[in-house]
Amino acid sequence: MAKTRKSGTRFGDWLSDRILRGLIGLALALPYATRVRLMGWITARIIAPLAGYDARVRANLAHVMPDLPEAEVRRLVRQVPDNVGRTVIEIYSGQQFIDRIKDLPLKGAGVAALEQARADKRPAVLVSGHFGNFDVPRAALTGRGYPIGSLYNPMKNVFFNAHYEKAIATMGEPLFPRGRKGYGQMLRFLKGGGMIGIMVDQFMGHGAPLNFFGQPAPTALSAAELALKYDALLIPIYGVRQPDGLNFEIVVESPIPHSDAMTMTQALNDSLEAQTRKHMEQWFWVHRRWKPARQARMAEERSRAGRGE
């Protein structure tokens, strides 16, 4: 039998969703620039401390950059969740947000390759991370007529996920939820010459032990494997928030050369790390990207299995 969530947990999810719905609804009633700045402030000053995001940002930074000056840590503790809050309300702003970014120029060494892939109807895997506003490239390319689909992780809170899916769908469709059905739909779309967007910066328990900021970070190889299997371009792409906090630059990097999935995925990690080092406040340091304690337990279990214990 499938496991069901405890009623208390479901009530907590429902209550959290109602609070978030109310906050988003109030913000959407404000002028665009005001709502974006306000949601950034609320997330940084109220939500992040209550949700434990401050501690998580500090823990991640201490794990990969232990010598980072305390003043810079304090800055990131505030500015990282500010960017998260801005990103959420931008996505929920729908057409208003799209109108601001749909005509942004594409910049970077990979623009010509991306445009040629579209002309040739060659499959492409566009890879980004939880950085800047990750939906900017997808929305902008969809608005230009690029055939962009996106693989995403449904939220664990089913109440929130119901309207979150609708919000991200406004940035472009089709959407493919992670899972057997969604993955099959995505493969058919890719084989037909489509382009798919994937983010590879979340902890994957059974992923490859690749490096990110100099520490082992289990990473899914699926983006590179798809590129190899379907002769698709593998292109890092980013929506970089500009200093005014409201506008963006779309950066398209050169395609990752085809070799093997491990090498190609490490190149993706290196690309995201380089972008993050230039804009430290724009990566979602609130994610549990490394989970060192869990990695240590998994390593011990593998060692015991190897010894036959």
PDB file of all heavy atoms in Angstrom, residues 227-246:
ATOM      1  N   ALA A 227      22.156  14.178 -23.511  1.00  0.00           N
ATOM      2  CA  ALA A 227      22.874  14.824 -24.608  1.00  0.00           C
ATOM      3  C   ALA A 227      23.642  13.794 -25.441  1.00  0.00           C
ATOM      4  O   ALA A 227      23.659  13.857 -26.674  1.00  0.00           O
ATOM      5  CB  ALA A 227      23.819  15.887 -24.057  1.00  0.00           C
ATOM      6  N   LEU A 228      24.269  12.849 -24.756  1.00  0.00           N
ATOM      7  CA  LEU A 228      25.026  11.821 -25.470  1.00  0.00           C
ATOM      8  C   LEU A 228      24.113  10.876 -26.244  1.00  0.00           C
ATOM      9  O   LEU A 228      24.390  10.527 -27.395  1.00  0.00           O
ATOM     10  CB  LEU A 228      25.878  11.025 -24.479  1.00  0.00           C
ATOM     11  CG  LEU A 228      27.051  11.784 -23.843  1.00  0.00           C
ATOM     12  CD1 LEU A 228      27.646  10.963 -22.706  1.00  0.00           C
ATOM     13  CD2 LEU A 228      28.118  12.097 -24.887  1.00  0.00           C
ATOM     14  N   LYS A 229      23.025  10.477 -25.639  1.00  0.00           N
ATOM     15  CA  LYS A 229      22.137   9.490 -26.262  1.00  0.00           C
ATOM     16  C   LYS A 229      21.439  10.043 -27.496  1.00  0.00           C
ATOM     17  O   LYS A 229      21.267   9.332 -28.501  1.00  0.00           O
ATOM     18  CB  LYS A 229      21.103   9.005 -25.247  1.00  0.00           C
ATOM     19  CG  LYS A 229      20.188   7.919 -25.791  1.00  0.00           C
ATOM     20  CD  LYS A 229      19.279   7.375 -24.704  1.00  0.00           C
ATOM     21  CE  LYS A 229      18.390   6.250 -25.244  1.00  0.00           C
ATOM     22  NZ  LYS A 229      17.520   5.674 -24.183  1.00  0.00           N
ATOM     23  N   TYR A 230      21.052  11.328 -27.439  1.00  0.00           N
ATOM     24  CA  TYR A 230      20.258  11.898 -28.525  1.00  0.00           C
ATOM     25  C   TYR A 230      21.034  12.919 -29.357  1.00  0.00           C
ATOM     26  O   TYR A 230      20.424  13.679 -30.109  1.00  0.00           O
ATOM     27  CB  TYR A 230      18.983  12.531 -27.945  1.00  0.00           C
ATOM     28  CG  TYR A 230      18.086  11.511 -27.290  1.00  0.00           C
ATOM     29  CD1 TYR A 230      17.989  11.448 -25.901  1.00  0.00           C
ATOM     30  CD2 TYR A 230      17.380  10.589 -28.056  1.00  0.00           C
ATOM     31  CE1 TYR A 230      17.183  10.493 -25.291  1.00  0.00           C
ATOM     32  CE2 TYR A 230      16.575   9.632 -27.456  1.00  0.00           C
ATOM     33  CZ  TYR A 230      16.483   9.586 -26.072  1.00  0.00           C
ATOM     34  OH  TYR A 230      15.691   8.637 -25.470  1.00  0.00           O
ATOM     35  N   ASP A 231      22.364  12.913 -29.199  1.00  0.00           N
ATOM     36  CA  ASP A 231      23.214  13.847 -29.939  1.00  0.00           C
ATOM     37  C   ASP A 231      22.698  15.277 -29.787  1.00  0.00           C
ATOM     38  O   ASP A 231      22.581  16.042 -30.753  1.00  0.00           O
ATOM     39  CB  ASP A 231      23.291  13.473 -31.421  1.00  0.00           C
ATOM     40  CG  ASP A 231      24.354  14.288 -32.156  1.00  0.00           C
ATOM     41  OD1 ASP A 231      25.354  14.664 -31.522  1.00  0.00           O
ATOM     42  OD2 ASP A 231      24.169  14.564 -33.366  1.00  0.00           O
ATOM     43  N   ALA A 232      22.392  15.636 -28.572  1.00  0.00           N
ATOM     44  CA  ALA A 232      21.864  16.967 -28.270  1.00  0.00           C
ATOM     45  C   ALA A 232      22.978  17.873 -27.762  1.00  0.00           C
ATOM     46  O   ALA A 232      23.931  17.412 -27.123  1.00  0.00           O
ATOM     47  CB  ALA A 232      20.761  16.868 -27.219  1.00  0.00           C
ATOM     48  N   LEU A 233      22.853  19.149 -28.047  1.00  0.00           N
ATOM     49  CA  LEU A 233      23.769  20.107 -27.444  1.00  0.00           C
ATOM     50  C   LEU A 233      23.521  20.161 -25.943  1.00  0.00           C
ATOM     51  O   LEU A 233      22.378  20.030 -25.480  1.00  0.00           O
ATOM     52  CB  LEU A 233      23.563  21.498 -28.044  1.00  0.00           C
ATOM     53  CG  LEU A 233      23.945  21.704 -29.504  1.00  0.00           C
ATOM     54  CD1 LEU A 233      23.698  23.154 -29.902  1.00  0.00           C
ATOM     55  CD2 LEU A 233      25.395  21.319 -29.751  1.00  0.00           C
ATOM     56  N   LEU A 234      24.585  20.375 -25.174  1.00  0.00           N
ATOM     57  CA  LEU A 234      24.482  20.530 -23.727  1.00  0.00           C
ATOM     58  C   LEU A 234      24.985  21.932 -23.405  1.00  0.00           C
ATOM     59  O   LEU A 234      26.191  22.206 -23.466  1.00  0.00           O
ATOM     60  CB  LEU A 234      25.322  19.468 -23.010  1.00  0.00           C
ATOM     61  CG  LEU A 234      25.233  19.438 -21.485  1.00  0.00           C
ATOM     62  CD1 LEU A 234      23.835  19.022 -21.029  1.00  0.00           C
ATOM     63  CD2 LEU A 234      26.277  18.475 -20.904  1.00  0.00           C
ATOM     64  N   ILE A 235      24.061  22.832 -23.089  1.00  0.00           N
ATOM     65  CA  ILE A 235      24.389  24.254 -23.004  1.00  0.00           C
ATOM     66  C   ILE A 235      24.053  24.809 -21.629  1.00  0.00           C
ATOM     67  O   ILE A 235      22.887  24.813 -21.219  1.00  0.00           O
ATOM     68  CB  ILE A 235      23.625  25.050 -24.072  1.00  0.00           C
ATOM     69  CG1 ILE A 235      23.936  24.515 -25.471  1.00  0.00           C
ATOM     70  CG2 ILE A 235      23.968  26.532 -23.970  1.00  0.00           C
ATOM     71  CD1 ILE A 235      23.187  25.234 -26.585  1.00  0.00           C
ATOM     72  N   PRO A 236      25.045  25.334 -20.885  1.00  0.00           N
ATOM     73  CA  PRO A 236      24.753  26.050 -19.639  1.00  0.00           C
ATOM     74  C   PRO A 236      24.127  27.412 -19.963  1.00  0.00           C
ATOM     75  O   PRO A 236      24.584  28.117 -20.870  1.00  0.00           O
ATOM     76  CB  PRO A 236      26.137  26.222 -18.993  1.00  0.00           C
ATOM     77  CG  PRO A 236      27.046  25.277 -19.722  1.00  0.00           C
ATOM     78  CD  PRO A 236      26.493  25.178 -21.106  1.00  0.00           C
ATOM     79  N   ILE A 237      23.082  27.769 -19.227  1.00  0.00           N
ATOM     80  CA  ILE A 237      22.379  29.028 -19.476  1.00  0.00           C
ATOM     81  C   ILE A 237      21.878  29.598 -18.156  1.00  0.00           C
ATOM     82  O   ILE A 237      21.456  28.846 -17.268  1.00  0.00           O
ATOM     83  CB  ILE A 237      21.225  28.805 -20.479  1.00  0.00           C
ATOM     84  CG1 ILE A 237      20.606  30.133 -20.902  1.00  0.00           C
ATOM     85  CG2 ILE A 237      20.186  27.842 -19.931  1.00  0.00           C
ATOM     86  CD1 ILE A 237      19.679  30.000 -22.109  1.00  0.00           C
ATOM     87  N   TYR A 238      21.928  30.936 -18.017  1.00  0.00           N
ATOM     88  CA  TYR A 238      21.615  31.560 -16.730  1.00  0.00           C
ATOM     89  C   TYR A 238      20.833  32.857 -16.910  1.00  0.00           C
ATOM     90  O   TYR A 238      21.064  33.603 -17.872  1.00  0.00           O
ATOM     91  CB  TYR A 238      22.903  31.872 -15.958  1.00  0.00           C
ATOM     92  CG  TYR A 238      23.774  30.661 -15.742  1.00  0.00           C
ATOM     93  CD1 TYR A 238      24.860  30.401 -16.589  1.00  0.00           C
ATOM     94  CD2 TYR A 238      23.506  29.749 -14.729  1.00  0.00           C
ATOM     95  CE1 TYR A 238      25.650  29.279 -16.420  1.00  0.00           C
ATOM     96  CE2 TYR A 238      24.287  28.627 -14.555  1.00  0.00           C
ATOM     97  CZ  TYR A 238      25.363  28.391 -15.404  1.00  0.00           C
ATOM     98  OH  TYR A 238      26.133  27.273 -15.237  1.00  0.00           O
ATOM     99  N   GLY A 239      19.930  33.116 -15.971  1.00  0.00           N
ATOM    100  CA  GLY A 239      19.263  34.412 -15.864  1.00  0.00           C
ATOM    101  C   GLY A 239      19.898  35.157 -14.697  1.00  0.00           C
ATOM    102  O   GLY A 239      19.573  34.890 -13.541  1.00  0.00           O
ATOM    103  N   VAL A 240      20.816  36.067 -14.991  1.00  0.00           N
ATOM    104  CA  VAL A 240      21.617  36.738 -13.959  1.00  0.00           C
ATOM    105  C   VAL A 240      20.929  38.035 -13.539  1.00  0.00           C
ATOM    106  O   VAL A 240      20.706  38.932 -14.364  1.00  0.00           O
ATOM    107  CB  VAL A 240      23.034  37.043 -14.482  1.00  0.00           C
ATOM    108  CG1 VAL A 240      23.877  37.662 -13.370  1.00  0.00           C
ATOM    109  CG2 VAL A 240      23.699  35.775 -15.025  1.00  0.00           C
ATOM    110  N   ARG A 241      20.600  38.123 -12.261  1.00  0.00           N
ATOM    111  CA  ARG A 241      19.954  39.339 -11.749  1.00  0.00           C
ATOM    112  C   ARG A 241      20.943  40.504 -11.781  1.00  0.00           C
ATOM    113  O   ARG A 241      22.111  40.350 -11.413  1.00  0.00           O
ATOM    114  CB  ARG A 241      19.450  39.106 -10.320  1.00  0.00           C
ATOM    115  CG  ARG A 241      18.535  40.235  -9.821  1.00  0.00           C
ATOM    116  CD  ARG A 241      18.006  39.933  -8.408  1.00  0.00           C
ATOM    117  NE  ARG A 241      17.191  38.726  -8.365  1.00  0.00           N
ATOM    118  CZ  ARG A 241      15.912  38.671  -8.708  1.00  0.00           C
ATOM    119  NH1 ARG A 241      15.303  39.773  -9.151  1.00  0.00           N
ATOM    120  NH2 ARG A 241      15.248  37.532  -8.625  1.00  0.00           N
ATOM    121  N   GLN A 242      20.451  41.650 -12.203  1.00  0.00           N
ATOM    122  CA  GLN A 242      21.299  42.835 -12.311  1.00  0.00           C
ATOM    123  C   GLN A 242      21.304  43.639 -11.003  1.00  0.00           C
ATOM    124  O   GLN A 242      20.480  43.412 -10.116  1.00  0.00           O
ATOM    125  CB  GLN A 242      20.830  43.691 -13.482  1.00  0.00           C
ATOM    126  CG  GLN A 242      20.968  42.976 -14.833  1.00  0.00           C
ATOM    127  CD  GLN A 242      22.388  42.535 -15.116  1.00  0.00           C
ATOM    128  OE1 GLN A 242      23.241  43.348 -15.459  1.00  0.00           O
ATOM    129  NE2 GLN A 242      22.654  41.236 -14.969  1.00  0.00           N
ATOM    130  N   PRO A 243      22.251  44.573 -10.851  1.00  0.00           N
ATOM    131  CA  PRO A 243      22.405  45.292  -9.574  1.00  0.00           C
ATOM    132  C   PRO A 243      21.150  46.003  -9.087  1.00  0.00           C
ATOM    133  O   PRO A 243      20.993  46.207  -7.872  1.00  0.00           O
ATOM    134  CB  PRO A 243      23.534  46.289  -9.878  1.00  0.00           C
ATOM    135  CG  PRO A 243      24.359  45.605 -10.918  1.00  0.00           C
ATOM    136  CD  PRO A 243      23.362  44.878 -11.783  1.00  0.00           C
ATOM    137  N   ASP A 244      20.223  46.383  -9.982  1.00  0.00           N
ATOM    138  CA  ASP A 244      19.006  47.048  -9.526  1.00  0.00           C
ATOM    139  C   ASP A 244      18.019  46.091  -8.884  1.00  0.00           C
ATOM    140  O   ASP A 244      16.999  46.512  -8.315  1.00  0.00           O
ATOM    141  CB  ASP A 244      18.341  47.816 -10.670  1.00  0.00           C
ATOM    142  CG  ASP A 244      17.830  46.901 -11.795  1.00  0.00           C
ATOM    143  OD1 ASP A 244      17.924  45.661 -11.670  1.00  0.00           O
ATOM    144  OD2 ASP A 244      17.339  47.435 -12.805  1.00  0.00           O
ATOM    145  N   GLY A 245      18.300  44.787  -8.952  1.00  0.00           N
ATOM    146  CA  GLY A 245      17.433  43.793  -8.313  1.00  0.00           C
ATOM    147  C   GLY A 245      16.171  43.464  -9.069  1.00  0.00           C
ATOM    148  O   GLY A 245      15.398  42.605  -8.630  1.00  0.00           O
ATOM    149  N   LEU A 246      15.944  44.109 -10.221  1.00  0.00           N
ATOM    150  CA  LEU A 246      14.696  43.926 -10.956  1.00  0.00           C
ATOM    151  C   LEU A 246      14.892  43.408 -12.370  1.00  0.00           C
ATOM    152  O   LEU A 246      14.004  42.763 -12.922  1.00  0.00           O
ATOM    153  CB  LEU A 246      13.927  45.259 -11.020  1.00  0.00           C
ATOM    154  CG  LEU A 246      13.478  45.852  -9.686  1.00  0.00           C
ATOM    155  CD1 LEU A 246      12.957  47.274  -9.900  1.00  0.00           C
ATOM    156  CD2 LEU A 246      12.409  44.985  -9.040  1.00  0.00           C
TER     157      LEU A 246
END
